[in-house]
Amino acid sequence: METFKLKIDDRQINAGGGDTVLQAALKAGIYIPNLCYDPRLAPYGGCRMCIVEIEGTRGFPAACTTRASDGMVVKTYGPQLDRLRLDTLELLLSDHPTDCLTCPGNQRCELQKVASFLGYNQRSLKPRKSDHPIDDSNPFFNLDRNYCVLCARCVRTCDEVTGINAIELINRGDESRVSTFAGSRLAESECRSCGECMVSCPVGAIHAKNSPVATEETATICPYCGVGCGIYLGTRQGKIVSVRGNEASPSNRGSLCVKGRFGINEFVHHSERLKSPRVKKEGGFESAEWEEALRIAGDKLSGYKPEEVAVIASAKATNEDNYVLQKFTRAVLGTNNIDHCARL
Amino acid sequence: MERILDKSSIDEVLKVYPARRDSLVRLLQAMQSKFGYLSEEVMLAVADYLNLSPSSVYSVATFYAQFKFKPAGRHCIKVCYGTACHVKGAGKVLTELERKLGIKKGETTPDREYTLETEACFGSCALAPLVMIDSEFYGRVTPDSAPDLIGGD
Amino acid sequence: MGLNSLRKESIHEWNEVLNPSRPQIFVGMSTCGEASGVVAVNKAIQDGLEEHGIDAVVNKTGCLGICYCEPLVDIIKPGKPRISYRSVEKTNVSGLLKDYILDDNPRPDLALGAWGQEFKGIPDLFELDFMKFQVRIALRNAGVINPENFSHYLARGGYQGFEKALDMDPEEIIAEIEKAGLRGRGGAGFPTGMKWKLCRKSRNFPKYLICNADEGDPGAFMDRSLLESDPHSVLEGMLIGAYAIGCSRGFIYIRAEYPLAIKRLKIALEHMKRHHLLGENILGSGFSFDIEIREGAGAFVCGEETALMKSIEGQRGTPYSRPPFPAQAGLWGKPTNINNVETWANVPVILEKGAGWFNRHGTEKSKGTKTFALAGKVNNTGLIEVPMGMTLEKIVYAIGGGVCDGKELKAVQTGGPAGGCLPLAKLGLTVDYESLAEAGSIMGSGGMIVLDEDDSMLETARYFLAFIQEESCGKCVPCRTGTRQMLAILDTFIKGRGKPQDIETLLSLGDSIKKTSLCGLGQAAPNPVLTTINYFRGEYEKGINPKLLRAKAHQ
């Protein structure tokens, strides 16, 4: 990839071909306030927080929609830029509740981050009270439009990342809002509950119903299917409390489906989850060691003709495991009676 | 204006336009001129035809002021609210029409006879204030003459 | 294959109209005519002709721009000049036909003017104050020809510019447009030739061409009138542009609120197809081009070029940041050239008569003429075309005949919602791109509303701001929320409850919105408030809550 140099706030920065000014700055560790930017999405330029000054360019272009180029000289702060950003922030906050402590987005909120970075301390415009009902129809996350900043990250994610377009912006101007078709509740919409919108939301507008903060994270692979999505399991006091996609994983690049994102801790910690093989003895199941279980299974299977046996494979096993299972069924048991739960 | 009777009357409109994204606005316009408004049924059919998600169709439809989601009255009265009309008293004309019809702008009379709307500008500013009823234009309307446009009482 | 033989026939047909063997009647059938009752007048003419047994030809024509005299009816008798009659009513038309056509009394009491000469006590139409200061280039055929008759356009020099262009190199054409100094008439004033050149340079194909007819400014009707009165002038301009730039497909994006203009465009496109001016291998030149009409759906912001292209693509009409400019990546990511209706209408004349003829009109930086929709509290409302650089005073007083009912002029609002209000003291200002911008307003597309002493500047500012607020697409924060906040503050002043410090709040918030908004709509949204504070601050001060003023005085 072609690289070149540009200057941001008097620092010489290296940037690559497709980088925007914002990307180049963030990569170099220079923070420019931003809200509607998401690296997975096409540049949008809606929040106007990342405005900068560029030598030889009129006005205040947004860093997220401006391509970096060789020899560019960029200024990300200064008295006028700071004032303009504060004014924009003030406008955003005049449409936004200030009950940060009880907001589900607290501490993860990018609006908080921007406000504290800019040193926002005084409200001067009249706030607008909004009382959109909360859509809590989805089992995993809520949509609370009262916190929405209309950055459109959720709807763009639902379009550009998942391709489902269950949610979109409707109406225009001040009446714009995130909506499903004809304003139905999420549970009655095309939404597949993957939660990608929730991940992208910079504030508390789309938030998990239950999300204690994890104290530890472990990189692993989602156990649900053969795709093998990379995930981070967040744990706290020995229990899984969160799941997040691993952006570095080539199979999912950070994305997850509803099962991986919301379905792991429930089955892992389920009281009826089988953790060891079980053997039927005197009318009831009893836990057994693998050695004993395999021996009994082997003995019993040997007693049947091939056409008397059928095998069901599992989507939760890996591709490789499933391959071996079908090989075992056909070559060892001698039958083609094998199927898979994903077909059910 | 036809009431939606069956799927075939929707299909008749669909087949006039190629099944491409850029047909969306034109299709919605054609549907509205045929059925008077965009019902959920119509929007779903358009989404299906263009292979778009229903919410994408809804998103585009709600962006443009032209589209209606409820059946309109038999006659549509539009009061021009352009600058010249405003300066020459369109506000009073509107108030008078609202009084006479007993509805606010954007509403339809209970008997479904009239829908009252405002329009950004018809571009006939020299004849302000202007009122359009169905496809007829009326220029230099005054608060006194406005009620006569509707007739009756 | 050319248009020569057809043009010869057309000139013959047109001469029969101008020097007829039987009377010719022209009825101004445009939207403004319709609004003043011309449909009934037209019917009364038919009835009158039958009643008196008169054998005459009735022609439809477009709009001369003399809206204050609508409905306008012209009569040409054999060997006599064309006479325009003003404010014709269905009740007096039968008498007029009888008096003039049968009894040879031209009824000076009903006449507005005779074309090109004084005639039996009727003044020369073009010597009327409303007409004599005008230079009609874009409007050269408006109100003169029947817009639905291709021969009329052809006879008046139509498509000569295009035929000339076909004999030139595309670069030569662009150079001619550059030499003419033509700038975008949609408001921003970008040099047209340079725009074409940028788009021509791109090696990405296909290329698209767009005519922006989404004339959304309330108070502006230049484009509507032009398209209703002379659609071919715009289409010929597009054809020349497409050939020069190398575009294969064109779109006219027009407001759905302009049904008559759409109808006439459709008729004109049919003419073009019939005469090999559209489609494959136009006039045997090897150049192919097609034009489609796309109707807007009620969104002011779609007049902004990036939003317009989104709308054609079937998306929400939300603007996006430039660069890339449409010339590099526009419609469907392909190079696209967008010009406004009036810009296109100027193009054929520049080719036909040469850049040198065109740039004789206007100022050093703003060449040619500009159409304005003169409306509001002015005596002579209508559509005018004047050389760039004319003073506002001359437009309002000499052409417009001054303020209605002998009232005092208070301000002239130019440029639509994105423009500003200029006070009496600024009436000496010349209208060109630079001086209007310096005064805090803009040329805009050409709306010009006269306000008198009774008009409140706060109400005027509120009207425009409320309009923009309703039309904001909502994508960017400053425009979406900022306009609402400004409106809320403005309302406190209108109710006499303004806070003294809020005049400054409006100024600084307005400044921020201008500087941080994504597109031209937001960047201009505060202008009506900022110019009224600048020129009419006293009215804002009157809106301050007296209690707060007293409290401040006590401090």
Side-chain angles (χ1 to χ4, degrees):
Chain A
M1 187 179 63
E2 184 204 351
T3 61
F4 53 82
K5 284 190 192 321
L6 70 154
K7 212 181 228 179
I8 302 183
D9 294 339
D10 298 323
R11 270 180 61 193
Q12 202 70 253
I13 306 289
N14 286 315
D19 278 350
T20 62
V21 172
L22 180 62
Q23 283 165 334
L26 293 175
K27 274 185 202 168
I30 300 171
Y31 174 68
I32 306 175
N34 65 85
L35 282 174
C36 67
Y37 168 71
D38 180 327
R40 297 189 296 177
L41 305 173
Y44 188 64
C47 76
R48 312 312 285 172
M49 277 299 161
C50 70
I51 52 166
V52 292
E53 286 174 273
I54 299 174
E55 270 186 31
T57 303
R58 223 159 25 107
F60 303 90
C64 69
T65 52
T66 307
R67 279 279 171 89
S69 65
D70 195 19
M72 209 175 229
V73 179
V74 180
K75 190 98 188 116
T76 74
Y77 65 91
Q80 197 176 18
L81 275 173
D82 294 348
R83 181 183 71 79
L84 293 173
R85 279 203 195 105
L86 266 173
D87 271 2
T88 307
L89 176 69
E90 167 81 40
L91 288 170
L92 264 175
L93 290 174
S94 74
D95 265 354
H96 197 86
T98 45
D99 54 349
C100 287
L101 273 185
T102 51
C103 170
N106 193 21
Q107 304 238 347
R108 291 177 288 116
C109 176
E110 294 176 37
L111 187 58
Q112 272 178 346
K113 185 179 173 187
V114 170
S116 83
F117 181 84
L118 295 177
Y120 176 81
N121 59 12
Q122 201 187 353
R123 173 163 261 182
S124 62
L125 294 173
K126 199 175 166 194
R128 174 170 66 173
K129 288 228 158 40
S130 67
D131 52 352
H132 295 290
I134 297 171
D135 182 347
D136 58 1
S137 63
N138 184 287
F140 309 111
F141 51 83
N142 294 342
L143 167 57
D144 184 347
R145 296 185 180 88
N146 300 301
Y147 290 105
C148 179
V149 290
L150 291 171
C151 66
R153 275 164 67 168
C154 56
V155 301
R156 289 183 288 139
T157 301
C158 200
D159 174 30
E160 296 172 37
V161 176
T162 72
I164 292 169
N165 298 90
I167 47 171
E168 287 270 16
L169 286 180
I170 62 155
N171 304 337
R172 70 175 182 223
D174 215 23
E175 300 290 313
S176 303
R177 61 192 154 86
V178 173
S179 175
T180 58
F181 174 66
S184 70
R185 290 171 18 121
L186 279 170
E188 288 108 47
S189 75
E190 314 253 301
C191 170
R192 299 179 197 176
S193 304
C194 67
E196 290 293 329
C197 54
M198 178 191 87
V199 174
S200 193
C201 181
V203 291
I206 305 181
H207 59 264
K209 280 198 148 75
N210 186 12
S211 61
V213 178
T215 51
E216 207 179 325
E217 275 196 332
T218 309
T220 180
I221 302 292
C222 173
Y224 261 106
C225 78
V227 171
C229 295
I231 55 171
Y232 287 103
L233 284 182
T235 49
R236 174 169 172 162
Q237 289 153 350
K239 292 214 159 178
I240 295 169
V241 291
S242 67
V243 180
R244 97 188 148 85
N246 181 350
E247 276 125 31
S249 163
S251 55
N252 60 315
R253 290 184 223 137
S255 297
L256 290 177
C257 74
V258 56
K259 291 193 260 183
R261 186 174 329 272
F262 300 112
I264 292 179
N265 63 346
E266 195 185 332
F267 90 76
V268 168
H269 298 299
H270 203 283
S271 59
E272 288 173 21
R273 179 182 168 201
L274 294 180
K275 292 175 183 165
S276 59
R278 312 193 103 190
V279 174
K280 208 180 208 173
K281 286 179 183 165
E282 293 159 12
F285 280 108
E286 282 177 24
S287 290
E289 292 301 313
W290 277 108
E291 203 169 312
E292 186 195 359
L294 286 171
R295 183 178 49 77
I296 293 172
D299 287 350
K300 296 251 170 164
L301 281 173
S302 323
Y304 291 99
K305 295 186 190 127
E307 65 270 25
E308 291 172 332
V309 185
V311 177
I312 295 287
S314 168
K316 279 199 176 119
T318 63
N319 258 352
E320 292 78 358
D321 288 341
N322 275 314
Y323 175 79
V324 170
L325 187 62
Q326 68 85 25
K327 203 73 185 167
F328 172 80
T329 308
R330 295 186 216 271
V332 180
L333 297 179
T335 177
N336 288 327
N337 294 340
I338 177 158
D339 212 329
H340 188 279
C341 71
R343 272 166 46 90
L344 296 176
Chain B
M1 260 180 271
E2 288 180 38
R3 292 278 160 242
I4 300 168
L5 296 172
D6 55 85
K7 182 93 173 47
S8 69
S9 57
I10 295 178
D11 289 342
E12 264 171 45
V13 181
L14 290 176
K15 68 184 180 201
V16 178
Y17 298 90
R20 293 192 317 248
R21 173 87 199 213
D22 69 299
S23 299
L24 177 55
V25 175
R26 287 184 291 168
L27 256 173
L28 294 175
Q29 287 170 326
M31 290 291 179
Q32 178 155 301
S33 77
K34 179 151 182 173
F35 301 114
Y37 74 108
L38 299 177
S39 64
E40 289 187 20
E41 187 189 7
V42 160
M43 287 188 282
L44 287 170
V46 169
D48 189 47
Y49 180 69
L50 298 180
N51 198 17
L52 291 172
S53 124
S55 25
S56 300
V57 171
Y58 188 60
S59 167
V60 169
T62 53
F63 182 86
Y64 297 98
Q66 186 184 28
F67 298 119
K68 300 188 188 79
F69 305 95
K70 281 186 198 144
R74 234 158 50 81
H75 300 289
C76 187
I77 305 172
K78 291 181 178 176
V79 178
C80 181
Y81 232 63
T83 321
C85 291
H86 172 76
V87 170
K88 292 217 166 169
K92 285 180 190 141
V93 170
L94 178 67
T95 312
E96 196 49 43
L97 288 169
E98 286 178 336
R99 190 196 59 76
K100 162 110 181 181
L101 294 168
I103 52 173
K104 292 277 163 208
K105 76 163 177 173
E107 293 177 349
T108 300
T109 51
D111 60 2
R112 287 266 174 86
E113 273 298 300
Y114 296 102
T115 298
L116 183 61
E117 290 177 351
T118 56
E119 183 68 56
C121 184
F122 286 113
S124 298
C125 313
L127 296 158
L130 205 76
V131 173
M132 183 181 182
I133 300 181
D134 299 328
S135 57
E136 299 275 312
F137 287 101
Y138 301 89
R140 298 190 185 110
V141 179
T142 63
D144 290 338
S145 73
D148 299 339
L149 296 176
I150 310 168
D153 85 10
Chain C
M1 198 179 2
L3 293 166
N4 280 342
S5 62
L6 193 64
R7 186 173 287 115
K8 227 177 253 170
E9 284 169 35
S10 299
I11 290 172
H12 186 75
E13 188 183 330
W14 180 240
N15 279 337
E16 171 54 30
V17 171
L18 293 184
N19 308 298
S21 50
R22 55 184 180 147
Q24 300 272 338
I25 299 171
F26 297 82
V27 188
M29 300 282 268
S30 52
T31 304
C32 36
E34 280 183 18
S36 51
V38 79
V39 178
V41 169
N42 195 35
K43 178 150 189 315
I45 290 173
Q46 305 289 355
D47 294 347
L49 291 175
E50 203 167 305
E51 183 193 336
H52 304 298
I54 300 170
D55 177 26
V57 182
V58 180
N59 298 282
K60 241 184 244 185
T61 179
C63 173
L64 258 185
I66 315 179
C67 307
Y68 64 101
C69 295
E70 294 279 0
L72 216 60
V73 172
D74 302 348
I75 300 176
I76 307 180
K77 276 179 66 170
K80 304 277 162 52
R82 182 167 173 173
I83 299 173
S84 293
Y85 291 92
R86 61 182 295 170
S87 311
V88 177
E89 287 170 35
K90 60 182 178 196
T91 48
N92 67 5
V93 79
S94 167
L96 169 67
L97 293 173
K98 179 177 173 293
D99 290 347
Y100 184 32
I101 298 178
L102 293 183
D103 303 339
D104 213 27
N105 167 10
R107 293 295 300 269
D109 57 319
L110 297 176
L112 175 69
W115 290 39
Q117 56 177 273
E118 277 187 45
F119 180 73
K120 295 191 178 174
I122 298 170
D124 183 345
L125 183 77
F126 302 109
E127 288 302 317
L128 295 178
D129 287 342
F130 187 79
M131 298 299 281
K132 75 176 171 199
F133 303 108
Q134 295 197 42
V135 174
R136 294 167 76 93
I137 297 176
L139 299 175
R140 58 196 176 276
N141 291 321
V144 179
I145 63 169
N146 177 351
E148 296 180 13
N149 188 324
F150 184 62
S151 304
H152 288 189
Y153 182 72
L154 215 53
R156 302 248 315 157
Y159 291 102
Q160 263 174 9
F162 175 60
E163 285 194 288
K164 207 162 155 190
L166 283 181
D167 290 332
M168 293 163 77
D169 274 345
E171 279 82 9
E172 270 181 85
I173 300 172
I174 295 175
E176 194 70 12
I177 299 293
E178 281 193 299
K179 211 171 106 196
L182 179 64
R183 294 170 64 175
R185 299 297 194 239
F190 192 83
T192 305
M194 195 190 289
K195 207 181 219 181
W196 291 16
K197 204 189 235 172
L198 283 172
C199 196
R200 169 151 190 95
K201 253 194 216 156
S202 172
R203 305 260 46 100
N204 193 351
F205 294 94
K207 294 180 188 178
Y208 299 108
L209 189 92
I210 297 174
C211 170
N212 185 348
D214 193 45
E215 183 176 56
D217 285 10
F221 54 89
M222 301 75 51
D223 297 347
R224 174 188 62 70
S225 195
L226 184 46
L227 289 169
E228 284 177 2
S229 303
D230 192 20
H232 278 291
S233 65
V234 178
L235 296 170
E236 185 185 351
M238 289 177 73
L239 215 49
I240 294 168
Y243 175 71
I245 297 163
C247 302
S248 53
R249 207 169 148 200
F251 295 90
I252 300 174
Y253 188 88
I254 181 166
R255 299 177 75 205
E257 291 87 344
Y258 286 175
L260 187 62
I262 293 168
K263 182 184 150 204
R264 296 212 167 130
L265 274 170
K266 283 182 179 162
I267 293 171
L269 287 174
E270 281 308 311
H271 295 151
M272 290 175 78
K273 276 179 202 146
R274 203 177 316 139
H275 299 293
H276 307 288
L277 287 163
L278 268 190
E280 297 290 319
N281 194 14
I282 290 170
L283 296 183
S285 64
F287 161 61
S288 302
F289 184 61
D290 254 313
I291 298 177
E292 275 177 54
I293 296 174
R294 292 298 174 95
E295 290 178 36
F300 175 73
V301 67
C302 289
E304 197 278 343
E305 58 184 16
T306 61
L308 187 154
M309 293 187 294
K310 284 264 170 212
S311 184
I312 291 183
E313 290 174 5
Q315 319 242 19
R316 288 165 69 85
T318 49
Y320 55 88
S321 299
R322 296 165 298 186
F325 290 96
Q328 305 156 306
L331 203 53
W332 294 295
K334 299 291 180 186
T336 305
N337 184 82
I338 308 185
N339 283 116
N340 150 280
V341 168
E342 188 182 340
T343 315
W344 288 122
N346 274 297
V347 168
V349 192
I350 293 173
L351 267 285
E352 189 194 334
K353 301 194 174 173
W357 176 86
F358 182 84
N359 67 23
R360 278 207 310 257
H361 304 284
T363 66
E364 193 197 331
K365 285 186 176 165
S366 303
K367 295 294 180 196
T369 57
K370 178 74 193 82
T371 60
F372 288 99
L374 190 57
K377 307 279 182 66
V378 62
N379 280 315
N380 304 340
T381 52
L383 180 69
I384 58 168
E385 180 172 359
V386 295
M388 297 268 195
M390 187 176 276
T391 62
L392 278 172
E393 186 174 13
K394 193 164 176 185
I395 294 178
V396 173
Y397 288 99
I399 298 177
V403 182
C404 297
D405 307 323
K407 296 229 166 104
E408 278 287 310
L409 182 135
K410 187 173 201 176
V412 179
Q413 207 283 344
T414 73
C421 292
L422 302 169
L424 191 62
K426 290 276 171 187
L427 236 51
L429 213 67
T430 56
V431 292
D432 56 74
Y433 296 101
E434 279 71 26
S435 34
L436 284 174
E438 263 169 46
S441 186
I442 56 166
M443 174 86 90
S445 54
M448 198 177 269
I449 312 281
V450 175
L451 303 166
D452 72 18
E453 52 190 291
D454 297 340
D455 290 313
S456 150
M457 300 316 292
L458 263 59
E459 291 278 1
T460 307
R462 189 194 194 283
Y463 167 81
F464 285 111
L465 193 60
F467 175 84
I468 289 287
Q469 205 243 328
E470 206 162 290
E471 295 294 339
S472 165
C473 80
K475 181 173 176 179
C476 80
V477 179
C479 177
R480 179 180 73 229
T481 311
T483 52
R484 190 192 75 228
Q485 287 289 358
M486 284 185 78
L487 199 57
I489 299 173
L490 195 56
D491 277 337
T492 63
F493 284 91
I494 287 174
K495 289 179 187 146
R497 292 192 211 129
K499 295 184 199 144
Q501 70 272 25
D502 271 354
I503 297 181
E504 291 311 312
T505 312
L506 283 174
L507 288 172
S508 77
L509 190 55
D511 179 65
S512 295
I513 295 169
K514 279 180 82 130
K515 286 179 173 143
T516 56
S517 289
L518 195 162
C519 83
L521 181 93
Q523 286 160 14
N527 283 354
V529 175
L530 298 181
T531 55
T532 47
I533 294 181
N534 188 12
Y535 296 121
F536 302 93
R537 198 179 175 110
E539 288 193 33
Y540 284 81
E541 282 161 358
K542 270 186 210 144
I544 294 174
N545 186 342
K547 281 183 201 156
L548 293 173
L549 266 186
R550 278 199 296 277
K552 206 178 175 193
H554 281 299
Q555 272 170 9

